[in-house]
Amino acid sequence: MEKKLYSIDIETVSQGKRAVDYTNSKHYAPPKNIKDPEKIDANIRGQKEKAARTHGLSWTTGKVLSVALVNVFNQEEQYVAASHKEYEVLGKLDELLDTPAPIYLIGKTSATFDFPFLVGRYLFHDEGVPRVLRRRWNLLDVDNFFGWSASSGQRGKLDDYAHGLGIHNKPMHGSQVQDLYNTIVEAEMEGDS
């Protein structure tokens, strides 16, 4: 049976009003040395704004907008699932990963971001977590293997890893997320009318 090694990358966005409501419900306190009420308010506003900028980076306040998979051994096999409706993206990913062939997933910072984010979002939707995401030995993070070069003293970049693994065409770049989000929302709004 053929093993499959997919390079995985997810793109995430804020949950919108739900994330803002969560941020606003938290308690914020300024440093004790600030006494001026205007400075206290400004400090708290700054803390909330900082939290809002990271909504898309936590599974508790963000959601999955798209998932890209590229078969490392057969780059013709590429999949991108994208939708404003997160459950559709997760359903498509589950469908792609539901195969009797052993599947391994590899990504950059995936052990600390992509994999836990996906598991959290499957649990949020009360969906079963795909088998491959429950098998930690099938989840590989290139940072764990290639992340620090003692000779050059720096971390590798995703494009460097892709080149090293022989992946020549990334399906999507993070800078395209906002455009993708806008396109998906516009298309879905037209479909609802």
Side-chain angles (χ1 to χ4, degrees), residues 8-82:
I8 186 169
D9 188 30
I10 68 172
E11 303 301 338
T12 62
V13 293
S14 170
Q15 293 174 4
K17 183 178 178 334
R18 186 172 188 276
V20 170
D21 289 346
Y22 178 74
T23 298
N24 289 337
S25 72
K26 297 188 92 161
H27 176 72
Y28 298 90
K32 293 184 187 218
N33 63 339
I34 299 178
K35 303 296 181 202
D36 180 8
E38 287 181 17
K39 289 182 179 178
I40 290 173
D41 289 343
N43 182 278
I44 290 173
R45 255 192 327 277
Q47 289 181 55
K48 287 182 179 184
E49 288 169 5
K50 183 178 179 183
R53 287 192 299 272
T54 62
H55 282 165
L57 300 177
S58 169
W59 71 267
T60 59
T61 54
K63 63 182 180 177
V64 179
L65 175 68
S66 72
V67 177
L69 293 173
V70 177
N71 186 331
V72 173
F73 303 122
N74 175 10
Q75 293 176 39
E76 299 298 316
E77 188 181 352
Q78 296 185 13
Y79 305 99
V80 176

Side-chain angles (χ1 to χ4, degrees), residues 40-169:
I40 290 173
D41 289 343
N43 182 278
I44 290 173
R45 255 192 327 277
Q47 289 181 55
K48 287 182 179 184
E49 288 169 5
K50 183 178 179 183
R53 287 192 299 272
T54 62
H55 282 165
L57 300 177
S58 169
W59 71 267
T60 59
T61 54
K63 63 182 180 177
V64 179
L65 175 68
S66 72
V67 177
L69 293 173
V70 177
N71 186 331
V72 173
F73 303 122
N74 175 10
Q75 293 176 39
E76 299 298 316
E77 188 181 352
Q78 296 185 13
Y79 305 99
V80 176
S83 174
H84 182 49
K85 297 174 182 153
E86 180 184 53
Y87 65 87
E88 291 179 359
V89 176
L90 296 177
K92 181 66 175 171
L93 178 62
D94 192 29
E95 188 180 301
L96 292 170
L97 298 177
D98 186 25
T99 173
I103 293 179
Y104 297 86
L105 299 177
I106 189 167
K108 179 165 174 39
T109 65
S110 293
T112 56
F113 182 70
D114 299 66
F115 303 142
F117 199 106
L118 287 168
V119 168
R121 298 313 296 161
Y122 275 106
L123 293 173
F124 171 80
H125 287 286
D126 200 22
E127 295 291 324
V129 176
R131 181 177 53 227
V132 68
L133 290 173
R134 293 189 315 253
R135 294 181 173 167
R136 296 308 239 176
W137 56 89
N138 289 34
L139 306 175
L140 310 170
D141 190 323
V142 291
D143 283 334
N144 291 343
F145 298 103
F146 313 118
W148 181 259
S149 168
S151 60
S152 67
Q154 62 185 3
R155 284 200 167 287
K157 295 186 168 75
L158 184 57
D159 289 339
D160 299 334
Y161 296 149
H163 174 76
L165 292 169
I167 299 171
H168 304 294
N169 49 350

